[in-house]
Amino acid sequence: MGVLIWKPMPEPVLVPAPRRAARLAGRAGLALTGSAVAAVLLLCLAGPSAAVPALGGDGPPWSFSAAPAATPVILLCAAAIVAGALGTGAGLYALRRGWRPAPGPMLAASAAAVLALVLVPPAGSTDVLNYAVYGRIAALGHDPYVTAPAWLHAVGDPVGAFAPTAWRNAPSVYGPVATWAQQAASWLGGASMARTVFAWKAMAGLAFLLSALLLDRLAGPGRDRRVRAHLLWSLNPLMLWHVVAGGHVDGLGALLLLGAFLAARRGDLGTGPRGGSGGRGGASGGVGGGLVAGVLLGAAAAVKAPFALAGAGLFWAARRSPATLAATAAGTLAALAAAYATRGPEALANVAGKVASRALADPWRVVATALGEGPEAAALEGRLALGAAVLAAALLCLRLPAAPSGPLAGPQAGLQAVRPALACCLGWLLTSPMQHPWYDALLFPLLALMPACRLDGLMLVRGVVTSLVYLPGAVGLLALPPAPLVRWAAEVYRPWVAPLASDVVIACVVALALAGRLGARPLPPGPALPAGAGRADQRTS
């Protein structure tokens, strides 16, 4: 005779129902994102222009020879940048209000965008041509930290013939890991600038997609966190523009940095009291994870030095375990020492020389103008910038919202390292006189792992401001016909509007931090649905 056992039905889990406005905002965000990527693709397909450098020879990469005029090129670039930032912002707005698209199709769309942008010429910068030249110098057996591109140009090398004029007398300022990647691209491309650039862009695109996969893994199983990561990285047109279309080396550094954070999570870096076995791997797992994380961090810093700033987060996460902390530091130092040991002292000297440099997007430009020219004024500006960076990082360490917590994304997931890493990196990025929009490849992956906050909108605004400074990118403004738009950009936007806008962003970040309002404003409760209800609607949104 059977026995009937009564079990109470579990109460349904309620999830916020997406409002109609959220669904519309999400769809509009995706439409704007797609439009921005399409605009960049159209710009690249048009062939050499004020924004697209000439590569010579046949593809890949492939393009037409439409020879568009400078003014429509600049307008199309600006439209893509603004539309891309608005699309990302609209997606983040919709996400906070219940819109939950499936992460899988977002990754697929990112892969399609990356593939398309890899197959066309670079746009918005000539840095990728510099990479090809430095790689060619290394592939020919010379030292790119000593031999300037002018030598390669003077000997009539087919790659050196396309060396950008602005950097022709400057040896490499990139780390040894970046130089190895540039040399690998040169081996693949041979004596062709076009093929070398294509090989490099293929590497940059692969690094971007692998970073998207690592972010998806780091974000955890929660759909909202995964969608946020893809909005701020995988489908962020600003990052697709600079890292993939522009082919900037920062994407390689971002991949290695995210690998360090994943290694830290897998090893439960610093969990447990005083190095105890508070996580999956115990004390030995923490030490091993710390060692691997340190090696990857050192490799990222050997791509570009500022990636070392994110190490503050890894060291902070390992602070409770002296053994893990020592392993992380040892791994970092070993990777850096091994990388730079393959080069002469000029490699370190060239990287250190960038510290005192200033860029077009310098937020201190108005202050520097008031201080005047000369070494004393430059030294004073450098000291002011360094002091501001330290103060901003300290303030952000105290005031940034808490990192994701809970059983799925708490300290056991290694994400406690994100908050101090973001604070230090953002403190430097906000205040450094050496500003480029592609440096944000250090910022957006960290921001993507944080909960929604007011920094999201501010960093998108900052990305637009700095990106517009470098338009059109392949040809300097002074070399273009003096059209009204060109004259306004050179005489008004670059020297006044952009620096002041950057200063406003800095002031907003500081003011919100002092007021303790960097976190997102709580939303009023809305209608709720049982878990699983409405998913068909969300999948089609």
Side-chain angles (χ1 to χ4, degrees), residues 445-462:
L446 298 174
L447 188 63
L449 294 173
M450 290 288 288
C453 60
R454 290 183 170 90
L455 283 177
D456 297 346
L458 288 171
M459 293 306 100
L460 289 173
V461 170
R462 178 185 174 278

Side-chain angles (χ1 to χ4, degrees), residues 317-347:
R319 70 192 185 282
R320 294 180 180 176
S321 170
T324 304
L325 182 61
T328 307
T332 304
L333 293 175
L336 282 170
Y340 278 94
T342 63
R343 301 293 174 182
E346 295 83 4

Side-chain angles (χ1 to χ4, degrees), residues 250-502:
D250 305 73
L252 177 58
L255 173 62
L256 293 168
L257 179 62
L258 289 172
F261 275 88
L262 184 62
R265 191 190 75 170
R266 286 185 172 275
D268 286 347
L269 198 67
T271 56
R274 307 295 178 190
S277 56
R280 293 184 299 272
S284 60
V287 171
L291 181 62
V292 174
V295 169
L296 290 171
L297 173 66
V303 172
K304 267 194 170 181
F307 281 90
L309 294 171
L314 295 174
F315 297 141
W316 174 261
R319 70 192 185 282
R320 294 180 180 176
S321 170
T324 304
L325 182 61
T328 307
T332 304
L333 293 175
L336 282 170
Y340 278 94
T342 63
R343 301 293 174 182
E346 295 83 4
L348 274 174
N350 292 357
V351 171
K354 291 286 289 183
V355 174
S357 301
R358 289 162 54 183
L360 290 174
D362 179 8
W364 298 88
R365 187 165 183 144
V366 177
V367 175
T369 301
L371 292 174
E373 300 295 334
E376 293 184 0
L380 177 58
E381 181 189 357
R383 289 193 293 270
L384 288 173
L386 178 61
V390 172
L391 290 175
L395 180 61
L396 290 167
C397 281
L398 295 173
R399 295 295 192 174
L400 273 178
S405 60
L408 297 180
Q412 306 304 320
L415 294 182
Q416 74 274 28
V418 173
R419 186 174 182 270
L422 177 61
C424 292
C425 294
L426 183 55
W428 173 77
L429 279 170
L430 282 175
T431 59
S432 172
M434 194 62 187
Q435 295 270 351
H436 292 96
W438 40 91
Y439 287 7
D440 287 356
L442 170 60
L443 170 66
F444 277 112
L446 298 174
L447 188 63
L449 294 173
M450 290 288 288
C453 60
R454 290 183 170 90
L455 283 177
D456 297 346
L458 288 171
M459 293 306 100
L460 289 173
V461 170
R462 178 185 174 278
V464 170
V465 170
T466 54
S467 295
L468 293 178
V469 168
Y470 288 92
L471 295 183
V475 177
L477 287 176
L478 296 179
L480 295 175
L485 177 62
V486 172
R487 187 164 54 249
W488 180 84
E491 299 176 1
V492 180
Y493 183 78
R494 279 185 176 178
W496 297 104
V497 176
L500 290 174
S502 297

Side-chain angles (χ1 to χ4, degrees), residues 82-303:
V82 174
L86 289 175
T88 302
L92 293 172
Y93 170 89
L95 178 63
R96 287 199 63 225
R97 284 152 179 82
W99 178 65
R100 297 291 185 275
M106 297 181 78
L107 264 174
S110 176
V114 168
L115 177 61
L117 293 173
V118 164
L119 294 175
V120 296
S125 170
T126 57
D127 278 11
V128 69
L129 275 66
N130 292 322
Y131 304 160
V133 170
Y134 293 138
R136 178 70 171 168
I137 291 172
L140 291 175
H142 297 272
D143 188 349
Y145 297 100
V146 177
T147 304
W151 168 80
L152 197 66
H153 183 269
V155 297
D157 185 87
V159 174
F162 293 91
T165 304
W167 288 87
R168 196 164 289 176
N169 295 311
S172 176
V173 294
Y174 303 101
V177 173
T179 299
W180 296 338
Q182 292 161 4
Q183 188 172 355
S186 181
W187 284 334
L188 292 171
S192 167
M193 173 61 84
R195 289 196 298 270
T196 303
V197 167
F198 175 71
W200 176 265
K201 287 193 66 180
M203 294 164 59
L206 180 60
F208 186 88
L209 288 177
L210 290 175
S211 298
L213 291 173
L214 291 182
L215 273 174
D216 189 80
R217 188 68 178 269
L218 284 165
R223 177 178 282 199
D224 56 343
R225 290 192 294 270
R226 293 174 67 195
V227 171
R228 174 176 169 81
H230 294 315
L231 287 173
L232 284 170
W233 179 259
S234 313
L235 287 178
N236 184 345
L238 295 178
M239 291 294 93
L240 287 166
W241 169 284
H242 297 304
V243 177
V244 183
H248 287 282
V249 72
D250 305 73
L252 177 58
L255 173 62
L256 293 168
L257 179 62
L258 289 172
F261 275 88
L262 184 62
R265 191 190 75 170
R266 286 185 172 275
D268 286 347
L269 198 67
T271 56
R274 307 295 178 190
S277 56
R280 293 184 299 272
S284 60
V287 171
L291 181 62
V292 174
V295 169
L296 290 171
L297 173 66
V303 172

